[in-house]
Structure formats: C-alpha cells, structure tokens
Amino acid sequence: MYTQALDTHGREPVPAAEGAGPAARFQARIDADEKIEPKDWMPEAYRQTLIRQISQHAHSEIVGMLPEGNWITRAPTLRRKAVLIAKVQDEGGHGMYLYSAAETLGVSRAQLIEQLLSGAAKYSSIFNYPTLTWADVGAIGWLVDGAAIMNQIPICRCSYGPYARAMVRICKEESFHQRQGFEIMLTLAQGSAAQHAMAQDALNRWWWPSIMMFGPSDGDSRHTAQSMAWKIKRFSNDELRQKFIDVTVPQAQFLGLTIPDPRLRWDEATQHFQIGPIDWSEFYAVLKGNGPCNRERLEARRAADAAGAWVREAAAAYAAKHGGRAPAGASHG
Amino acid sequence: MGDPSGGAAPADWPLYEVFIRSRSGLEHKHVGSLHAADARMAVEHARDVYTRRQEGVSIWVVRSADIVASDPADAEALFEPARDKVYRHPTFYAIPDEVKNL
Ligand SMILES: [Fe+2]
Ligand SMILES: [Fe+2]
C-alpha cells in the first residue's frame, strides 16, 4: 500500500514565473518521456507537488502498518502470523523507500516525520477505520492493497526518476499482499456460516472506503490536469476507480460475497460495472480528522516516536564515540 | 526523529547510499538510500530495507556526502564529444556479406 489521490488539498500549483526557457525545455523533456532526476532543473511547482504527493504516500505506508499490526498477536495460525508480520514489515519498507525519494527533492526526513506527528500532513483516509475482526485483515489485503496496486502501477512510469524507481520496487512487493488477503477471504467465505458472515461483514465495512481511496471524482479533483501534463499522474481518479471495480466485482462473486451496493449492475453498453452514488461527506469527514481512528493513529505514531527516543540518542552517542565508522568486521567486499 | 514538543525538527542521521550485489558474478548496483547513525547500522538497515527477499549477497554503504557527482549542466561538455565518434562502434564499418567470422 498505499497511495491515495488526496488532490483536493494543498494549494493549486502555480505554473512557473521561472522563465520560459528552462520551463519550456523541462516540458519538452517530459513530453519526450525523459525522466527527471534530482539535480535537474525543475519548476518549483513540480517539486512541491511531488514532495506533497510522495510524502503523503510515505506517511500512508507508515500509518498503514497500524490497523493490520493490531492483529499480529491474534493471527489464527503460525502461518498467518508469519505472513502478516512480513506484510506489515513490507509496508514499513515502502515508507522508507518513499521518504528517501521525497528527500531527493530537498526536504529532510526529520521535517517529514515532524509533519506527520504534528498532524499537519495527510495520509490515506482508509487507515482511520478500525480492524474489528480477523476478516478485516483479509479485506484490507484484498481491497485496500488491491486499490493501492491499481493506483501505483501507473506511477512506476512517473516522470520523476526516484519516485518511479521506488514505485517499481513497491509494486513488486504488493502482489503478495493482495493475494494473501484474498486467500484469507476465500478461507473464511468457504468456512462455517459464522466465518462466512464475518467475511461478508468485513466486505460491508471496507468496500466503500476502498472505493474512495481513488480520491474525489474527476470534476472535483483540482490537480489532475497539471499532474497529467507533468506525467506524475497517468490516469484520472475515476478511470482508476472504474478499473478497480471491474476487476473486483467478479472476485467478490467468486467468494460468494455480496458487494454492499444495491445499485451495482453490469452495464452492457459501456461494458463496465456501474456503482451507486458515493457518500463523499464521509470521505471528507475522515480526511478532516473525524474518522473513527484518526486520533488513535497519530497517538500511536507519537508514542512510538517518543519510546524510541532513547535508542536514537544511544545510537548517536555510540556513533560519535566511534567516529561514525563501523567497528572491524564490516569491511567492503 | 520527530519532536512531539513541536520544536524545530532535529538533525537527521547521515544519509547513506546503498549498493547491492544481487548474486556473485554481478556488480554492486545502487538501490536507494537510508539514514543511519553509523556505517554498521547502515549495513543492518540496508539488509532490512533492501534485501527482504534475497535480493542480495553483499551490501555496500557509502555516505551520500562522500559521493562526487558530475553536474547536469556539464552534461553537454562531458558527453557530447563522443557523439560524432561513431567509428568507435563495429557497425560503422561496411563489410561484404560473404566475408564470414568478422
Ligand atoms: Fe505498501
Ligand atoms: Fe501493501
């Protein structure tokens, strides 16, 4: 996981007053599908857009560890526990790749962490929902990682080199996340009546938040056109959402579960599944901090940061004592 | 690294660039970067961040500050002179089809 189009927030990027020369050359490079690298000239608005998007994405990976981490101690089997630990560790790794990519744009790691802990930064609204049962771990892998994959695959071709490279690495790791989630759902759906009901309940609660992960409808999305011109974004929110719906509905049918949308229907004319209206007021409420777990998530991150302070201090003191060099035994080769 | 008291963000640990040899016989390749208090911690973190699926058999870490890079503004001066020296490539030379093993 997890990127989300949060593009109703932040200022509209101001197209450059930086001079037509470099700006035109920059756009020509983008149009020719060249990659932009950290030391290359870039418009300030491009840099700021990327810092915002990449750091929101990084924060989402980090906060995304919390809902699933909640079930590590209670995973039903040793196999499930090992898998869940590996998945949650991957999400931490994704956060690390993305923070590194954001830092190439001239923002420091400490600043980014500070923005998360102070509550100034946004992260994907999906992680402000609670994981009430084991089936939620299955639903997250299947739906939330599934939606994230849909969002992230096009970013592998993003014009900014470090972001694109981080995304290639992340996408390689995501497919196991989705498959293990689907496997949990399949096991429950084919299990006892109570297990089947638990799977259905999880789908009921995670379906609409997953659909909203793609961000506001195209008409309400402010940054799409500029991000498309810069090749940061390749498809609109609604296009990606539709792709997700089209692949996911048959999977739910295979599971024998019902998508919680009475208006859902196959549209013969467009060859797409048509969903009912989305309750955007819920999306904006969660994004503004009024979701079920917003406060709990930030408190968990702050507590982890505070609890680790003495470790960081000790490591820094040790490094200072040894001049930052590795003690013997770790030479290159 | 954050400061919940709301003060200015404290300084980061140094940044290290990470290079991984994916298997013996291949060169180390740049895979990304990370922060660490010292070089040994950088190697340990690189293992966790970049080799969770046996992506490597060897890790190098280098302080990013120690890397000297060419300036993109110099790219023309540095790399343009090679452009018109196509005679450095074997395809520059026309050899009749009937001549073999050349
Ligand atoms: Fe992820
Ligand atoms: Fe994931």
Side-chain angles (χ1 to χ4, degrees), chain A residues 25-38:
Chain A
R25 270 199 300 279
F26 174 83
Q27 190 60 48
R29 292 187 63 196
I30 301 257
D31 293 343
D33 269 332
E34 274 184 48
K35 295 289 182 200
I36 306 302
E37 294 295 340

Side-chain angles (χ1 to χ4, degrees), chain B residues 27-60:
Chain B
E27 65 276 59
H28 286 76
K29 201 175 154 215
H30 184 246
V31 294
S33 57
L34 48 76
H35 291 278
D38 60 26
R40 186 168 73 174
M41 185 192 276
V43 170
E44 289 167 359
H45 283 183
R47 170 208 177 257
D48 289 341
V49 177
Y50 293 106
T51 67
R52 290 192 301 281
R53 288 174 176 76
Q54 295 186 291
E55 287 93 338
V57 295
S58 164
I59 297 170
W60 287 353

Side-chain angles (χ1 to χ4, degrees), chain A residues 36-298:
Chain A
I36 306 302
E37 294 295 340
K39 294 173 87 180
D40 295 345
W41 187 91
M42 62 186 82
E44 196 48 31
Y46 177 84
R47 183 187 300 278
Q48 293 308 326
T49 297
L50 278 170
I51 290 175
R52 190 185 61 231
Q53 180 172 333
I54 300 172
S55 62
Q56 284 174 350
H57 189 168
H59 299 322
S60 301
E61 302 282 352
I62 298 302
V63 177
M65 292 192 283
L66 296 170
E68 289 175 293
N70 177 38
W71 279 91
I72 287 174
T73 56
R74 290 168 292 155
T77 66
L78 188 57
R79 176 180 180 271
R80 294 285 188 215
K81 189 192 290 255
V83 168
L84 186 54
I85 290 171
K87 179 186 189 289
V88 171
Q89 193 187 14
D90 272 357
E91 306 302 359
H94 298 174
M96 296 302 113
Y97 310 151
L98 288 162
Y99 282 132
S100 291
E103 284 177 270
T104 64
L105 293 157
V107 62
S108 79
R109 179 78 59 107
Q111 278 173 287
L112 296 173
I113 304 282
E114 185 62 32
Q115 287 166 6
L116 175 64
L117 297 181
S118 72
K122 294 272 183 280
Y123 57 85
S124 186
S125 56
I126 196 91
F127 303 117
N128 293 315
Y129 292 88
T131 40
L132 303 177
T133 73
W134 170 251
D136 289 14
V137 175
I140 288 178
W142 171 38
L143 299 174
V144 178
D145 287 82
I149 290 169
M150 233 15 129
N151 254 331
Q152 289 173 170
I153 285 177
I155 311 177
C156 295
R157 296 186 294 126
C158 161
S159 61
Y160 188 57
Y163 192 24
R165 290 192 288 275
M167 208 52 62
V168 167
R169 192 172 282 279
I170 287 172
C171 284
K172 273 187 201 161
E173 300 183 352
E174 286 294 352
S175 108
F176 125 66
H177 297 180
Q178 193 187 17
R179 290 172 70 119
Q180 64 84 36
F182 189 83
E183 192 194 70
I184 292 172
M185 294 301 276
L186 188 59
T187 306
L188 292 172
Q190 295 177 342
S192 67
Q195 287 173 318
H196 187 93
M198 190 192 272
Q200 181 63 56
D201 169 64
L203 174 57
N204 291 349
R205 285 180 290 107
W206 290 95
W207 172 255
W208 288 109
S210 301
I211 294 296
M212 292 187 227
M213 277 179 72
F214 294 92
S217 287
D218 295 347
D220 303 323
S221 178
R222 292 167 58 192
H223 298 303
T224 293
Q226 181 60 79
S227 283
M228 292 256 200
W230 279 331
K231 295 188 182 169
I232 293 173
K233 198 171 178 145
R234 299 270 181 170
F235 297 98
S236 76
N237 296 353
D238 286 337
E239 283 174 311
L240 291 167
R241 184 174 6 252
Q242 189 61 53
K243 275 189 192 194
F244 174 74
I245 292 164
D246 287 341
V247 301
T248 308
V249 171
Q251 293 167 357
Q253 288 167 345
F254 182 88
L255 292 171
L257 299 176
T258 307
I259 304 255
D261 178 359
R263 304 241 212 137
L264 178 72
R265 63 177 181 88
W266 172 252
D267 185 51
E268 196 57 48
T270 59
Q271 294 288 298
H272 290 295
F273 285 100
Q274 194 85 48
I275 61 166
I278 298 172
D279 177 11
W280 288 112
S281 61
E282 176 183 328
F283 174 79
Y284 288 113
V286 176
L287 215 53
K288 283 204 180 75
N290 301 320
C293 299
N294 294 58
R295 198 168 316 157
E296 183 184 331
R297 299 293 182 236
L298 272 192

